[in-house]
Amino acid sequence: MTVVSSKSSSSKRKLRSDSNSTAASAATDSSSKEDASSSASSQPETSPKTSSMQIDDAGSSRLFQPHRSLGLLTAAHPAANAKNLSYSPSSHLFLSKRGKFHLQPQGHSSEETFVTVPLGERFQILTISKLVPTLVSRALPPSSEHHRMRMMRSVDTSNAQYSGGDEEEMHQAISDSSLSVTVATHGPKLLARAVSVTLYSRTRPLVCLDAFPFLEGKKTGRKTRWGIVDMINLGKRRMAMTGEKEGKMENTLLLAVVCARDDVVITNKKDNGGIDVVGNDSDDESDDESDLAGESNQITSSSSSSDSSEDDEDSIAGSERTPANDCYGRVLIVQASRTSMKIINTVDLSGIGSNFIPHVGLHPATYVNKILLGGRPTNTARNGTKQTSMILLNVRSGKMLHSFQCLSNSDGIITTLEQSPAVDTVAVGTSTGSAHLINTLHDVELFALHHKGKQTSKKLSPDNAVSSISFRTDGNATRQGVAPLAVGCDDGSVSVWDLTPVKDDNDGTTRRTLLTQMEATHHGGVSKLQYLPGEPLLLSTGMASNSVLLHVFDAPDHSGRILRQRKGHTSPPRLLRYLHPGVGGGGILANASDGTDAASCQILSCGGPGDLSLRLFSTARTNLDKEYSQGPGLERKAKKLGLVGPEGRAELLLPEVAGLATSEARSRDWGDLVTIHKDHAMAYVWSTKRGSQTGPVLRQPQWNVSAMKKRPPRSAHATSVAISGCGNFALIGTVGGVVYKYNIQSGIPRGSFPRDATSLTEEEERRRKKGIKVAGDVGRTMRMLEKNSMKGGVMPSDIDQAERDRISFMEAEEKRKAIVQRASHEGAVVGIAIDSLNKTVVTVGADSKLVLWNFVTHMPNKKSPIMLPSPAVKLTHVRDSDLAAIAMRDFGVAVFDCSSLSIVRYFGGSRYASPNEMRLSHTGPISDMGFGPDGRKLFTSSLDGTIRVWDVPTGLCVDWMSFASPPTSIALSPTGEFLATSHVGHLGISLWCDKSFFRMVLLDGTPSEPAKMNEPQPVAECEQEEAEQSLSISMPRSVAVKDDSSVNGDNDEDGTNDGVPPQAKEEGLITLSGLPPGHWKNLFHLELVKERNKPKEAPQKPPQAPFFLQWRSGIDSSTNDDADNTGNTETSATNDSSNKDDGWDAVWSDDENGDDADDNADSNEEASDEAKQAKNDETESTKATKRRKVMHHRSKLAELLQNCSEEDSYSGVTRYLSTMGPSSIDVEISSLCYGAHDLDDGLHLLHLASLWLVEACESNQSFEAVNAYLHRFLHVHGNVIIQIDTDLKESENENLSEGAEDPQKLKLKEFADTISQLREKQRAASNRLQGKMQHTICLLRHLSRMV
């Protein structure tokens, strides 16, 4: 056994987790109660701060760091998308369990059931109630080094498609919620098989075991392929704990890991002239393993087993021994606890199990320490006597108990096993499409169900392999008299059979009824399906469908319908756009500073080849994702036309989306989304509000809509699209160089660019015949001239003038045609842009022309065309600054100013062809572009695997990102906070966050080398009751209020800084409180808020209270008070005396209890005189103390002011008010003094409050909050302050005449002096802040003019 520490292995490869998932994992791990005494192989937990800093340093660029991924639900089966896929034993051996989920029933309701789904390097746990991820694990630790070396030797890693070969891939995961652990099998991604077992504690990997340590350092031959094919849950087992809890017992998870060796070997193409050679490895490995034959022959199945008392050293020796030559299978018994995992037994399939290759396993019900293994015999064994395909194994003793002979070799490979509700009955699925029910006690086949697939060009065999089987166990099926069995096949169909026998009247045989068959449920085949225990719900996943479906069977005909679903793209998306972006689209800007968040935006995503869907992904909640409908009743139409399967449905769908444009201006009135499609002439209008294609089809009148008629010419195929700012018109560019203009509401054509490209429509022809003016009709002008010339007779001078006019018009027409011909595109129009005022249209084409057209007259600008240095491939336009970026074939970008009609910037291209200047330009075709929200930054993605960020004013490349897979499309959020990308070979959408929004970023100079970016990963989504935690998880750590200090490293050792305002780094600086704006802004408008929240009418008493409403104490408390005073006299007196120093709480204590206690004590004749006197003295002192506290501590603020005055520091008052709401602050400040009649007690508190405000203004801390408190103080007590000032002025003469001053007037004068001092301090602080702001503004203006 080889144990790989997760921490030490992380240094061997780059960190591949984003800050978001790490922060979520750290928060989850810190809340879990784990045993402090973990084993030596456990990974030490790192602090959240350390993890966040590591991720910022590695895997991110200057501006961006990984945030999360979208649209990735399940791991795709590599063989499902292969061309000419044939069912080979080798391909199915190690791929049969890849991506299959594990169901964890909790209680008796499906709402409490969880599903564990492997997802690349991680696993995610979904809830059945919403199918949203509640937990996402960290990345897998790497497998042993010798497995990677074997992978490098067997794969040509020099090929570009093998980039990222050091990544791990999870094949199967089993979770246990009671232990909070997950055990996963995985291996290197390019190795295509699992070779390691890893234990997770919630989201953190603890222990990684090598399943095949015997392959290290031994000459096993490069053709030997061992891998993990299945993992079986054997239940719980009690184990003695070690360390501090030694002597106690704990539950552990017992698993059987089934391993197999393949006998079909594919050698390297380089050694065989590029031809794959397939054969038996037993013929080629005799020479390589001759030195191990003696050692292997001495090992038997009996010696390989060990009981539960076997020590760890013997277990390690058993797992590291080399199996015999005829051994093609091995079972590892793994015991996993909360903190450790080890192999306790190793069983080799030798003897009766020799020459048997296991594929799947099952732990039958009521079979203790026994498992069923299904598979196939080796190729050499098939040629001899009849061999078995299923065996029964005792994992405790290591003996093969039985070899089943009820299945023949012609049944093919056993691909799945499932326990039936009946004991000793197991369902067996085979590669030939048969599902057998077998009695394991008597080795008898009960019956078989056969499934045949359709013969297609992609499947060489008509057999439809069974991939998964599940029995339905709910009571509704029993009451309806059916016993449903669901069978999933490799063609993506799900068949539901009724196992109730039905006797055939013709031949007397019994058969089973097919209740329903759901065709094409999952693209690429069904990976796994399972009924929920006790409910008519069927959960299923696909091999390549990237979807999780939950069907419910509640119809009378036993058919199923989709109850919940989560789907993603089945092929990598090719085009991404934010829905209604703010830049150039008139969308609503979202920003976290004003209460909204750009993370809650929606992204439109178009599928790649083979995926004809248009999907909408929400960046906040995955349950808001949806697919846009392409018409009602597509499934019904497909069945009506006989089109079955995904290929048949695809014939009714629109072709692959090639481009799209959106506009929010008229989204409430008609369609706001227009799409064009690959090799298709027509454009389609969609409604994002309805989520479907409901608008008109944009086409020319002469184009046929029916596919049975002649289609439009290839020159009419659409290549680009744009929508006007008003949302009324759509412009479609074509291959032939013509741009067609349509009305989005009606779909009627409105001309073309150039205007001569389209003939008159029927409406225009009707208007021409009626004499209605048509703009641009030269024939109408000539006819009007001829008509005028005929009036009043024909004069020679009139004839000459008419001729001259005709000639001049003809010359003008020729000039116009020449201008139009010179400006017209000779190649495909690859980009269109419209300005915000609908005056100018910008088009670029593959003929290197940039043309500006008049939107109304459809005529080109006088300076058109403008020739580009290279043919254009894409165009993007920002309407605010009227700049257009054109991507060209020389891998460069030209920025065109539509106002000055000139090219103002060049980024990259053929100018930087020298090796020393290659870092200043892309080295591959540009796949997509996009401007930032302010138009100052330009983002370009290229197929060279990089994304560059260009600063338009300076012309510099300020950021350079490199990816493992080339990006195909990019999209900027409306505020620029997030960047969405799609990549070659990735089904999901990667989301990156801009670090400049939450930390200081220095963009000095051009990067010398690209920053290698880590791939974002899915994140867990919390429920509504965990909204605050969800916010901190979904955003980067430094955005959270409590964590933003950790970025600069200024926080305490424990990472907390609650309740402490930001401190100035230098003396004299002004700091803000960092409190929410509503805390101090509402203090200025508190009366208005109270007026709005005032109830319209007083609550009315009901005529009669219901019987279940209890009586409220306090209405008549005389009875209870008397009882309390009689029974608890001494207790109340003691409590009063003990709580005399409780401060604010003592104000609300009941004085009557003390009085009653005195009366009762005096009336007690048995008490001594000394005790009475002591008690009376204590009661009198308590009363005096309470009276003083009522006078001084009328509120918590009054108590704080009194205490702070004694300490000569009022900082605690500001901190106390910062924890309260606006209404509570108003109550506290108002309670200091209730008016002029309360000056005897309130004047002292007002004076203390003014001293506090003077000190707060002098400190320059929490500037905005302190000024809000000052405003509220003056607003509440302003009348009292004015009256005091008036009284002092009136009494000045009296004091001079008398020659002595009253002490009360001295206090008033002292308070007035403090108010004057407060005014001066506040004015000085305000002037200081205004001066600093003015200085900063002047400096910014000076620097902006220097650029």
Side-chain angles (χ1 to χ4, degrees):
M1 176 183 66
T2 302
V3 180
V4 181
S5 175
S6 300
K7 182 179 180 181
S8 61
S9 61
S10 61
S11 60
K12 299 180 182 179
R13 62 172 181 170
K14 296 182 179 179
L15 187 62
R16 296 187 301 272
S17 67
D18 60 314
S19 60
N20 199 12
S21 61
T22 304
S25 302
T28 308
D29 294 339
S30 61
S31 62
S32 63
K33 298 181 180 179
E34 300 178 355
D35 186 15
S37 58
S38 60
S39 62
S41 59
S42 63
Q43 176 194 11
E45 178 67 290
T46 58
S47 63
K49 175 185 173 181
T50 304
S51 301
S52 177
M53 293 305 297
Q54 289 178 352
I55 293 169
D56 288 344
D57 295 338
S60 62
S61 65
R62 288 182 173 183
L63 287 174
F64 291 93
Q65 69 180 21
H67 181 62
R68 65 171 300 183
S69 65
L70 305 172
L72 194 60
L73 305 177
T74 59
H77 200 298
N81 292 325
K83 298 179 181 179
N84 302 326
L85 176 64
S86 61
Y87 193 93
S88 63
S90 176
S91 64
H92 190 272
L93 176 60
F94 300 119
L95 302 179
S96 58
K97 287 293 179 180
R98 177 173 295 185
K100 296 195 174 183
F101 62 84
H102 175 249
L103 202 64
Q104 307 173 66
Q106 303 288 335
H108 303 282
S109 174
S110 62
E111 303 296 327
E112 304 175 1
T113 304
F114 296 92
V115 183
T116 305
V117 182
L119 188 62
E121 287 188 300
R122 291 167 166 79
F123 68 85
Q124 60 179 351
I125 297 181
L126 310 177
T127 58
I128 292 296
S129 59
K130 294 183 179 180
L131 291 182
V132 296
T134 59
L135 187 144
V136 179
S137 71
R138 299 185 186 180
L140 286 165
S143 301
S144 298
E145 190 66 25
H146 65 92
H147 292 297
R148 296 182 173 275
M149 296 303 296
R150 291 169 60 85
M151 175 192 66
M152 301 297 291
R153 291 195 300 266
S154 60
V155 177
D156 183 13
T157 57
S158 62
N159 195 338
Q161 62 178 337
Y162 297 120
S163 60
D166 59 339
E167 296 181 2
E168 292 286 317
E169 184 175 17
M170 188 177 296
H171 289 241
Q172 190 178 4
I174 294 179
S175 299
D176 189 280
S177 58
S178 61
L179 300 178
S180 299
V181 297
T182 301
V183 180
T185 62
H186 61 93
K189 188 174 183 179
L190 296 183
L191 199 59
R193 58 181 181 271
V195 293
S196 304
V197 184
T198 295
L199 172 67
Y200 277 86
S201 175
R202 292 181 65 86
T203 63
R204 179 168 53 99
L206 296 179
V207 184
C208 180
L209 302 179
D210 184 9
F212 309 103
F214 58 85
L215 297 179
E216 182 179 6
K218 296 182 180 180
K219 297 193 300 183
T220 56
R222 67 179 180 181
K223 304 180 182 67
T224 303
R225 303 207 308 165
W226 279 92
I228 300 174
V229 296
D230 201 357
M231 187 166 51
I232 310 169
N233 190 355
L234 301 180
K236 301 288 182 59
R237 177 182 177 182
R238 301 283 290 178
M239 183 185 71
M241 302 180 66
T242 59
E244 297 179 358
K245 298 183 179 180
E246 185 175 0
K248 297 183 179 180
M249 304 295 290
E250 67 171 341
N251 287 329
T252 60
L253 187 63
L254 202 61
L255 301 170
V257 180
V258 183
C259 309
R261 183 180 63 153
D262 198 1
D263 64 340
V264 179
V265 179
I266 302 177
T267 62
N268 201 340
K269 295 182 179 182
K270 296 188 294 185
D271 300 337
N272 300 278
I275 302 175
D276 293 340
V277 178
V278 181
N280 296 336
D281 60 349
S282 59
D283 300 335
D284 300 328
E285 293 180 359
S286 58
D287 297 336
D288 295 338
E289 300 183 352
S290 59
D291 57 334
L292 301 174
E295 177 185 354
S296 302
N297 291 333
Q298 296 176 0
I299 301 174
T300 59
S301 60
S302 60
S303 63
S304 64
S305 62
S306 61
D307 54 10
S308 60
S309 63
E310 187 177 9
D311 57 353
D312 294 345
E313 296 180 359
D314 296 337
S315 302
I316 295 175
S319 63
E320 291 182 351
R321 65 172 178 264
T322 305
N325 290 334
D326 61 345
C327 179
Y328 287 86
R330 168 176 282 188
V331 179
L332 306 176
I333 307 303
V334 178
Q335 188 175 19
S337 66
R338 289 182 175 89
T339 58
S340 62
M341 182 175 61
K342 61 181 179 179
I343 299 176
I344 62 175
N345 197 4
T346 302
V347 181
D348 288 341
L349 302 184
S350 57
I352 190 174
S354 61
N355 295 323
F356 171 76
I357 303 178
H359 280 240
V360 292
L362 174 67
H363 178 46
T366 70
Y367 282 55
V368 182
N369 297 327
K370 301 175 183 65
I371 61 173
L372 279 174
L373 296 179
R376 64 177 177 88
T378 61
N379 293 333
T380 55
R382 286 171 179 252
N383 300 330
T385 59
K386 182 177 180 180
Q387 296 293 326
T388 183
S389 297
M390 189 169 65
I391 61 175
L392 181 64
L393 176 67
N394 190 314
V395 296
R396 185 181 181 88
S397 63
K399 295 181 180 180
M400 314 297 169
L401 301 180
H402 184 68
S403 174
F404 292 88
Q405 303 297 328
C406 58
L407 297 176
S408 61
N409 293 337
S410 60
D411 292 330
I413 306 171
I414 295 180
T415 57
T416 182
L417 296 173
E418 183 68 17
Q419 174 67 48
S420 71
V423 183
D424 300 328
T425 304
V426 174
V428 179
T430 64
S431 60
T432 59
S434 300
H436 307 267
L437 256 72
I438 296 176
N439 187 295
T440 56
L441 183 63
H442 302 285
D443 193 2
V444 176
E445 179 185 0
L446 303 179
F447 58 88
L449 308 172
H450 302 283
H451 307 81
K452 293 295 182 181
K454 290 189 175 183
Q455 183 74 27
T456 61
S457 58
K458 294 185 179 181
K459 189 178 286 292
L460 302 180
S461 173
D463 296 333
N464 191 13
V466 176
S467 58
S468 185
I469 299 176
S470 182
F471 291 88
R472 180 175 163 186
T473 59
D474 63 291
N476 293 332
T478 305
R479 287 189 292 269
Q480 294 175 3
V482 294
L485 171 68
V487 180
C489 300
D490 278 354
D491 64 348
S493 63
V494 176
S495 303
V496 181
W497 296 82
D498 181 14
L499 301 185
T500 305
V502 178
K503 189 173 183 180
D504 194 348
D505 298 336
N506 298 329
D507 53 5
T509 60
T510 57
R511 56 183 179 84
R512 271 71 188 174
T513 306
L514 180 64
L515 295 178
T516 181
Q517 186 172 13
M518 298 178 288
E519 297 286 347
T521 304
H522 289 281
H523 174 69
V526 177
S527 177
K528 184 178 180 180
L529 53 82
Q530 185 173 352
Y531 278 107
L532 269 65
E535 297 196 32
L537 301 176
L538 179 66
L539 185 70
S540 63
T541 58
M543 294 183 180
S545 62
N546 191 25
S547 61
V548 179
L549 305 180
L550 185 64
H551 289 82
V552 59
F553 296 87
D554 53 359
D557 58 350
H558 308 291
S559 61
R561 60 180 178 86
I562 296 179
L563 180 63
R564 302 184 188 97
Q565 62 177 339
R566 283 193 61 207
K567 289 185 176 182
H569 285 293
T570 58
S571 66
R574 303 295 294 273
L575 182 62
L576 303 178
R577 291 294 180 267
Y578 269 88
L579 181 62
H580 302 320
V583 176
I588 299 175
L589 293 177
N591 198 325
S593 62
D594 58 2
T596 58
D597 189 4
S600 303
C601 297
Q602 296 174 317
I603 299 177
L604 289 169
S605 177
C606 307
D611 185 3
L612 308 180
S613 63
L614 176 61
R615 299 186 178 274
L616 183 71
F617 293 98
S618 172
T619 57
R621 286 287 184 179
T622 55
N623 54 1
L624 300 179
D625 301 346
K626 61 181 179 181
E627 178 185 358
Y628 280 6
S629 173
Q630 299 189 18
L634 286 180
E635 299 291 345
R636 184 169 59 254
K637 291 179 182 178
K639 291 182 180 180
K640 184 177 180 180
L641 298 175
L643 304 176
V644 182
E647 293 84 0
R649 183 175 179 269
E651 295 184 9
L652 299 179
L653 298 178
L654 297 174
E656 177 186 345
V657 178
L660 60 87
T662 61
S663 177
E664 196 181 8
R666 305 301 295 270
S667 59
R668 297 185 178 182
D669 302 326
W670 50 73
D672 54 350
L673 170 64
V674 178
T675 60
I676 58 174
H677 302 265
K678 184 178 179 181
D679 298 332
H680 200 66
M682 305 172 192
Y684 297 85
V685 180
W686 306 66
S687 173
T688 58
K689 183 179 180 180
R690 299 181 179 179
S692 60
Q693 193 273 314
T694 56
V697 179
L698 306 182
R699 64 182 184 90
Q700 295 297 313
Q702 63 272 18
W703 293 351
N704 296 318
V705 179
S706 176
M708 304 300 293
K709 299 181 181 179
K710 185 178 179 180
R711 296 185 178 182
R714 184 183 180 279
S715 60
H717 289 175
T719 56
S720 56
V721 60
I723 297 180
S724 61
C726 61
N728 295 323
F729 299 98
L731 272 63
I732 310 298
T734 61
V735 176
V738 180
V739 179
Y740 295 102
K741 180 179 176 182
Y742 299 93
N743 183 279
I744 296 179
Q745 181 184 11
S746 60
I748 298 176
R750 296 303 184 189
S752 62
F753 302 87
R755 67 185 186 187
D756 298 337
T758 55
S759 59
L760 295 178
T761 62
E762 296 181 357
E763 178 66 18
E764 292 174 341
E765 185 66 22
R766 182 185 64 82
R767 293 166 63 90
R768 186 187 64 82
K769 290 181 179 180
K770 290 185 177 182
I772 303 176
K773 296 181 180 180
V774 179
D777 190 356
V778 181
R780 179 188 64 84
T781 305
M782 298 301 300
R783 288 192 297 272
M784 293 297 296
L785 291 174
E786 294 177 358
K787 184 177 181 181
N788 293 334
S789 64
M790 297 299 296
K791 292 182 179 180
V794 180
M795 301 296 296
S797 59
D798 295 338
I799 296 176
D800 295 339
Q801 183 64 31
E803 184 65 21
R804 286 192 299 270
D805 293 342
R806 188 182 67 82
I807 294 174
S808 62
F809 276 110
M810 294 299 294
E811 292 177 353
E813 185 68 17
E814 292 295 332
K815 290 181 180 179
R816 187 191 66 82
K817 290 182 178 180
I819 295 174
V820 171
Q821 184 177 3
R822 184 175 67 255
S824 299
H825 291 285
E826 300 175 358
V829 178
V830 297
I832 306 174
I834 309 172
D835 65 348
S836 57
L837 300 178
N838 286 358
K839 290 184 177 181
T840 306
V841 178
V842 182
T843 61
V844 293
D847 54 357
S848 303
K849 289 183 179 180
L850 186 149
V851 185
L852 280 76
W853 307 85
N854 188 291
F855 186 83
V856 179
T857 63
H858 298 188
M859 287 293 295
N861 188 278
K862 295 180 180 180
K863 295 185 179 181
S864 298
I866 300 173
M867 301 305 298
L868 300 173
S870 180
V873 293
K874 284 185 178 296
L875 179 140
T876 183
H877 180 258
V878 54
R879 289 174 178 167
D880 292 341
S881 59
D882 209 10
L883 294 178
I886 302 105
M888 297 175 290
R889 291 183 183 176
D890 63 350
F891 313 150
V893 179
V895 179
F896 182 79
D897 189 352
C898 299
S899 300
S900 61
L901 303 181
S902 61
I903 296 177
V904 295
R905 289 289 185 274
Y906 277 107
F907 300 123
S910 57
R911 300 184 305 157
Y912 304 99
S914 61
N916 297 331
E917 297 179 341
M918 290 300 292
R919 66 185 184 91
L920 301 177
S921 173
H922 284 293
T923 58
I926 296 177
S927 57
D928 203 357
M929 296 185 304
F931 276 102
D934 54 359
R936 295 180 59 90
K937 290 186 179 64
L938 176 64
F939 297 76
T940 58
S941 64
S942 174
L943 296 183
D944 60 3
T946 63
I947 290 179
R948 291 176 180 266
V949 182
W950 308 89
D951 187 66
V952 177
T954 60
L956 297 178
C957 177
V958 295
D959 200 3
W960 187 9
M961 296 171 281
S962 175
F963 303 88
S965 181
T968 57
S969 182
I970 60 175
L972 270 297
S973 66
T975 58
E977 295 177 72
F978 298 97
L979 171 68
T981 61
S982 61
H983 299 266
V984 175
H986 290 191
L987 298 180
I989 300 173
S990 301
L991 206 61
W992 316 83
C993 62
D994 192 341
K995 296 188 292 186
S996 64
F997 278 80
F998 52 85
R999 64 185 304 180
M1000 180 66 68
V1001 176
L1002 299 179
L1003 302 177
D1004 50 344
T1006 301
S1008 58
E1009 61 181 9
K1012 296 182 179 180
M1013 307 295 290
N1014 292 335
E1015 288 296 330
Q1017 301 297 333
V1019 297
E1021 297 181 2
C1022 304
E1023 302 297 331
Q1024 294 182 357
E1025 58 267 18
E1026 302 174 357
E1028 296 181 358
Q1029 183 181 0
S1030 175
L1031 179 61
S1032 62
I1033 291 176
S1034 60
M1035 294 294 292
R1037 289 188 54 82
S1038 52
V1039 177
V1041 175
K1042 295 183 180 181
D1043 294 335
D1044 60 353
S1045 60
S1046 63
V1047 177
N1048 299 325
D1050 296 333
N1051 56 343
D1052 299 334
E1053 293 179 359
D1054 56 355
T1056 61
N1057 194 23
D1058 298 340
V1060 179
Q1063 300 295 329
K1065 295 184 178 181
E1066 296 181 7
E1067 185 178 356
L1069 294 181
I1070 296 176
T1071 62
L1072 302 180
S1073 62
L1075 298 173
H1079 173 83
W1080 53 273
K1081 280 187 176 180
N1082 290 338
L1083 288 175
F1084 297 99
H1085 312 285
L1086 195 58
E1087 283 72 19
L1088 180 61
V1089 174
K1090 291 180 179 180
E1091 185 67 24
R1092 290 179 177 178
N1093 296 337
K1094 183 186 298 183
K1096 296 182 179 180
E1097 57 182 7
Q1100 299 179 359
K1101 182 180 178 180
Q1104 184 177 1
F1107 69 92
F1108 52 81
L1109 292 182
Q1110 299 180 2
W1111 169 81
R1112 294 185 301 169
S1113 61
I1115 299 177
D1116 187 7
S1117 58
S1118 58
T1119 305
N1120 289 347
D1121 291 342
D1122 295 340
D1124 293 341
N1125 297 334
T1126 303
N1128 299 325
T1129 304
E1130 297 181 0
T1131 303
S1132 60
T1134 304
N1135 291 340
D1136 290 341
S1137 61
S1138 61
N1139 296 334
K1140 63 181 180 179
D1141 295 329
D1142 286 349
W1144 172 242
D1145 297 333
V1147 177
W1148 301 105
S1149 61
D1150 192 1
D1151 291 337
E1152 296 179 359
N1153 292 337
D1155 298 337
D1156 295 339
D1158 296 337
D1159 297 339
N1160 294 330
D1162 294 336
S1163 62
N1164 191 357
E1165 298 179 356
E1166 297 178 359
S1168 61
D1169 297 338
E1170 293 80 2
K1172 293 180 180 180
Q1173 185 66 27
K1175 186 175 295 185
N1176 291 335
D1177 296 340
E1178 183 179 1
T1179 305
E1180 292 297 332
S1181 63
T1182 302
K1183 291 181 179 180
T1185 304
K1186 290 179 182 178
R1187 292 192 188 97
R1188 286 195 300 271
K1189 290 179 179 177
V1190 169
M1191 179 179 62
H1192 296 295
H1193 302 161
R1194 58 180 67 189
S1195 65
K1196 183 67 175 178
L1197 178 60
E1199 180 185 2
L1200 277 176
L1201 289 173
Q1202 183 68 30
N1203 296 336
C1204 291
S1205 65
E1206 298 175 359
E1207 299 175 0
D1208 199 17
S1209 176
Y1210 294 91
S1211 59
V1213 179
T1214 307
R1215 288 196 300 269
Y1216 169 68
L1217 293 180
S1218 65
T1219 61
M1220 306 176 65
S1223 299
S1224 301
I1225 295 174
D1226 178 62
V1227 172
E1228 293 281 352
I1229 294 178
S1230 301
S1231 63
L1232 297 179
C1233 182
Y1234 298 109
H1237 62 279
D1238 193 29
L1239 286 179
D1240 294 339
D1241 298 333
L1243 179 61
H1244 178 64
L1245 297 178
L1246 290 179
H1247 187 210
L1248 294 179
S1250 61
L1251 292 176
W1252 156 59
L1253 292 173
V1254 169
E1255 179 183 323
C1257 292
E1258 289 179 346
S1259 65
N1260 292 329
Q1261 293 186 5
S1262 304
F1263 187 83
E1264 82 284 13
V1266 169
N1267 279 270
Y1269 303 153
L1270 175 59
H1271 173 272
R1272 196 63 198 171
F1273 176 79
L1274 296 177
H1275 179 81
V1276 174
H1277 304 293
N1279 295 331
V1280 177
I1281 296 174
I1282 294 174
Q1283 185 176 355
I1284 290 175
D1285 185 64
T1286 304
D1287 295 342
L1288 287 176
K1289 292 180 179 179
E1290 293 178 354
S1291 62
E1292 286 182 357
N1293 298 329
E1294 297 179 2
N1295 293 335
L1296 293 176
S1297 62
E1298 294 178 0
E1301 293 186 2
D1302 185 15
Q1304 180 69 13
K1305 293 182 180 180
L1306 291 176
K1307 294 181 180 180
L1308 294 176
K1309 186 176 181 180
E1310 184 180 1
F1311 172 66
D1313 294 339
T1314 306
I1315 292 296
S1316 301
Q1317 185 182 2
L1318 175 61
R1319 180 179 56 187
E1320 298 298 329
K1321 295 294 183 182
Q1322 195 277 338
R1323 182 179 301 173
S1326 178
N1327 294 337
R1328 181 180 177 84
L1329 179 62
Q1330 291 180 1
K1332 288 184 176 294
M1333 294 182 63
Q1334 186 66 25
H1335 176 74
T1336 305
I1337 293 174
C1338 294
L1339 184 61
L1340 289 176
R1341 289 180 180 176
H1342 174 70
L1343 294 177
S1344 62
R1345 293 170 183 174
M1346 295 176 61
V1347 178

